[in-house]
Amino acid sequence: MSVALEAAPSRPSTTNTTNLVGLDREELREALVAVDVPERELRMRTSQLWHWIYHRGATDFGAMTNVSKRFRAALSDRCGLSRGDVASERISSDGTRKWLVRFADGNEVETVYIPEEDRGTLCVSSQVGCTLNCRFCHTGTQRLVRNLTAAEIVSQVMIARDSLEEWPSPSQDRLISNIVLMGMGEPLYNYDNVARALNIVMDAEGISISRRRITLSTAGVVPLMSRVGVELGVNLAVSLHAVSDAVRDVLVPLNRRYPIAELMEACRTYPGATNSRRITFEYVMLKGINDSLEDAKSLVDLISGIPAKINLIPFNPWPGAPYECSAPETIDRFGDFVNRAGYASPVRAPRGRDIMAACGQLKSASERRPGGRRGRNP
Ligand code: SAH
């Protein structure tokens, strides 16, 4: 059984104030200039606020006890600490939590927390909806797409931390120990904002989640993949799902632009992939489509020479989905073959299916308004 919690009452929107949540250091400094912080205090005030916002998770300037009363009052008048509203929070029988987060323009995304024995993973969205239209993914059926701002991406982490009451940022035994960009959207179609958000999240004096514990998943936007390695240094996951262009063209239409050979070349040359930092290939198991032993053999050939592991994902159903999940024996047989060829091939346990929080089940109600503009790919 799953539990649905009441939607939090939404706070009145503060249109004439500057929201400080989600700003990087430079932007925070500029915001302080705008509220007349004198030049000689800027450095100190910026790091003070950074600490309160990202290390302590303050939601109220009044809590900032080492900040003078006058300055706190000025901040309260002219700045905000909003993370967006939690429109709903649902908790699965397996402990998975899903938040529907509503931003200032009314658009919504979903964020999922997956507790496991040795880690807690937060699955973050990078776009409202998704333009990729992968055939087996529920998010692809959503019509409205827009990029999230860096602040909206960081806000999802802060909301999860608020809800799990994990402030100040603990240095160990964290509830949220890992972050995966595997929610709604294609992170590499929103690279700049994702990069800015990750730099805030990784900052050692704030939320401080290490790049080694962050994984960015892409359906294969080949030209941007190397930047992930060079500029961000986070782990890379690639949604492969098929071993021939004929099948992948249908499952992941982006393949028509960046076919398998190019994708594999980008993986082979991915900066920073080593045996201790492998590329994860995600492979959704679809009955009769991509799950034969022949497919497993071709997969092993395809990834030969790449430090890789294969994450087999049992297909998670959604209303009207055109596929079925492979039988457990088929998944085992496929996994065994890949494993014997020398690649770790864990099967991703479906989590939060009862609250539609599992991989590929996320979808928010945001729809394109008539005449509204649709997000565009680069
Ligand atoms: N756009 C990025 C980020 C999304 S990650 C990407 O494609 O990698 C979400 C992962 O869940 C992807 O690997 C996606 O292919 C997978 N997925 C989508 N729908 C699914 C479903 N119904 N069942 C299982 N996995 C699914």
Side-chain angles (χ1 to χ4, degrees), residues 267-315:
C267 293
R268 226 162 242 120
T269 55
Y270 183 70
T274 62
N275 275 334
S276 59
R277 295 199 80 192
R278 293 159 203 259
I279 295 178
T280 301
F281 287 96
E282 295 157 285
Y283 197 95
V284 64
M285 297 301 291
L286 302 171
K287 189 185 229 163
I289 304 285
N290 62 358
D291 60 355
S292 71
L293 215 44
E294 276 306 303
D295 290 316
K297 285 180 190 153
S298 308
L299 176 59
V300 167
D301 290 344
L302 214 51
I303 60 175
S304 117
I306 302 176
K309 66 174 176 226
I310 309 295
N311 209 327
L312 297 177
I313 316 178
F315 170 69

Side-chain angles (χ1 to χ4, degrees), residues 4 17 30 48 50 54 56 92 104 106 110 120 155 158-159 169 191 202 221 247 256 259 290 304 357:
T17 58
E30 283 162 20
Q48 238 176 5
W50 186 271
Y54 296 121
R56 307 284 288 256
S92 156
E110 296 189 313
S155 286
M158 308 220 9
I159 279 175
S169 259
Y191 179 80
M202 294 190 293
V221 183
V247 177
R256 295 181 209 145
N290 62 358
S304 117

Side-chain angles (χ1 to χ4, degrees), residues 101-120:
V101 180
R102 185 177 301 143
F103 297 116
D105 67 351
N107 279 314
E108 296 171 334
V109 297
E110 296 189 313
T111 309
V112 177
Y113 173 66
I114 307 133
E116 289 174 275
E117 225 154 72
D118 60 336
R119 67 180 64 191

